[in-house]
Amino acid sequence: MVTDPETTATKLGSGGGWRMELLTEPRPHNVTSHTHFELNGFQELGALRPLLFLPFSALLLGALAANGLLLYVVASRRSLHAPMYVLMAAMAGVDLSVPLLFVPHMLLSFLLDWRGVSLGGCLLQMHLVHFVGSLQCTLLVWMALDRYFAICTPLHYRRQMALPRSLRFVAPLALRNLALVSAFVVLAGRLTFCSGAIAHCFCEHMALVGVACGDTAANSLAGLLALLLIPVLDFVLILASYVLIFVSVLGSGASGSKALQTCVTHLLVMAVSLAVTLVALLSYRVRSRLPAAVLVFFSTMYLLVPSCFNPVIYGVRTAQIRRHIVKTLVGFRRRLNVTAT
């Protein structure tokens, strides 16, 4: 709340003069906080903005088709119900969910200029996008754990990766994600917002904080802690697991080298996730030097790229999944031909 000193006029006797006096109590000026926002991402493109509907709708359809196919193949083939393939299917489920949380609204904004969102809707979208997105890192940790037990302790693999036992490793990480994401969303909801124009295509945390009035140091700190304790910590855990795997493989000869080939798919997925994360984070650190549209593009691709490319990596690199995908697609084609005739 902003206050200014207030003055009052006092009559000076019968002479008709006036004297100005300063009141000791300042009069407050109410600051109205915006509760409705417009998502103005890529505003700089002007009349060309609606053309973004085409590439982003193609990315959405590609992500839905690829991840949906992977989920169907793993669910329908009993031979793929081993822990490693189930984790790939879980990652596909997360990769399928993330675009659905923000891309449809983006497409409506591009095509029909529907940009409005309430504060409650914005905070809900922010929570869902960041929490579901954080599960990508957690599943990568789970996959690294799976590869560690499969290669380093193969005799105990089934027991260690049984769902009740493995959840004891992963559930604390998921609860950590929920607590940290909830914390910075609640802090963001308590801010006073001076502007209703968010320079983004969805309710990203720092984009919303950027239109707030007053001190936002606590929000920046909460976002930094979430960054350090979710993706950074998870990548450290993944790195530690692979150091142990490499040490074990180096001492086991050719059989260990063959076992290590099963890790390549996971390493590629981790490399893609790490690369887009670093690009998005670095773009925020130098945002004063970047056009707003470039910053929005990088932070959007941070969520979309893994969703589009992870199922492709699984399908190309994993022989059993690749074989079943081919069989499924051939079966679909035959059924279409029969229906057409």
Side-chain angles (χ1 to χ4, degrees):
M1 184 173 291
V2 180
T3 59
D4 289 332
E6 186 179 352
T7 56
T8 186
T10 304
K11 186 75 175 289
L12 296 177
S14 59
W18 293 86
R19 180 179 68 209
M20 303 302 296
E21 295 180 345
L22 184 68
L23 292 179
T24 57
E25 293 292 333
R27 177 173 56 85
H29 293 287
N30 292 327
V31 177
T32 302
S33 178
H34 287 264
T35 58
H36 192 272
F37 302 93
E38 285 193 355
L39 297 168
N40 293 328
F42 299 111
Q43 183 69 24
E44 300 83 356
L45 297 180
L48 297 177
R49 190 173 182 268
L51 296 178
L52 293 175
F53 176 86
L54 297 176
F56 279 101
S57 60
L59 287 172
L60 175 62
L61 292 175
L64 296 181
N67 288 290
L69 178 60
L70 181 58
L71 277 170
Y72 172 79
V73 167
V74 174
S76 62
R77 308 290 179 172
R78 185 173 295 274
S79 61
L80 297 179
H81 290 179
M84 181 176 70
Y85 304 115
V86 171
L87 287 175
M88 290 181 181
M91 179 66 84
V94 172
D95 289 339
L96 186 147
S97 301
V98 170
L100 288 176
L101 295 174
F102 72 97
V103 177
H105 191 274
M106 282 177 55
L107 297 179
L108 291 174
S109 173
F110 296 149
L111 194 62
L112 303 175
D113 207 31
W114 291 3
R115 309 188 189 197
V117 62
S118 66
L119 176 59
C122 190
L123 294 174
L124 177 61
Q125 185 189 55
M126 182 195 304
H127 192 283
L128 291 174
V129 167
H130 286 287
F131 174 66
V132 177
S134 71
L135 294 179
Q136 291 175 326
C137 294
T138 302
L139 282 171
L140 287 173
V141 175
W142 203 343
M143 289 180 178
L145 193 67
D146 173 83
R147 291 299 84 204
Y148 170 77
F149 287 129
I151 295 173
C152 299
T153 59
L155 297 179
H156 304 286
Y157 173 71
R158 291 286 182 182
R159 180 171 60 87
Q160 295 289 358
M161 287 306 296
L163 187 60
R165 191 175 186 87
S166 61
L167 280 178
R168 291 191 293 179
F169 296 105
V170 182
L173 298 179
L175 292 175
R176 169 210 60 183
N177 298 354
L178 181 62
L180 290 170
V181 171
S182 298
F184 69 66
V185 170
V186 169
L187 287 173
R190 293 180 178 179
L191 291 172
T192 300
F193 300 100
C194 301
S195 172
I198 300 175
H200 215 297
C201 292
F202 64 95
C203 289
E204 199 271 339
H205 175 238
M206 291 309 297
L208 180 63
V209 171
V211 298
C213 313
D215 185 16
T216 59
N219 303 86
S220 298
L221 178 61
L224 180 61
L225 286 176
L227 170 66
L228 292 175
L229 295 178
I230 299 179
V232 173
L233 178 59
D234 285 353
F235 281 121
V236 169
L237 294 175
I238 293 169
L239 181 62
S241 70
Y242 272 96
V243 168
L244 295 175
I245 290 172
F246 289 145
V247 170
S248 175
V249 167
L250 288 175
S252 59
S255 61
S257 299
K258 185 177 179 180
L260 189 60
Q261 294 299 316
T262 63
C263 300
V264 174
T265 301
H266 181 220
L267 289 173
L268 287 173
V269 170
M270 187 180 71
V272 170
S273 299
L274 180 59
V276 295
T277 300
L278 289 176
V279 169
L281 295 179
L282 289 174
S283 66
Y284 269 104
R285 294 295 172 265
V286 296
R287 56 184 166 183
S288 59
R289 305 176 186 177
L290 291 174
V294 175
L295 182 63
V296 173
F297 174 78
F298 283 147
S299 58
T300 304
M301 289 299 103
Y302 159 67
L303 296 172
L304 270 178
V305 168
S307 295
C308 294
F309 284 96
N310 285 351
V312 175
I313 295 172
Y314 294 140
V316 170
R317 290 291 314 175
T318 309
Q320 282 188 281
I321 288 181
R322 182 173 65 248
R323 185 165 57 250
H324 286 300
I325 285 177
V326 171
K327 289 181 179 179
T328 301
L329 292 177
V330 170
F332 284 159
R333 183 177 178 179
R334 287 175 179 172
R335 283 194 287 270
L336 288 173
N337 290 337
V338 170
T339 303
T341 56

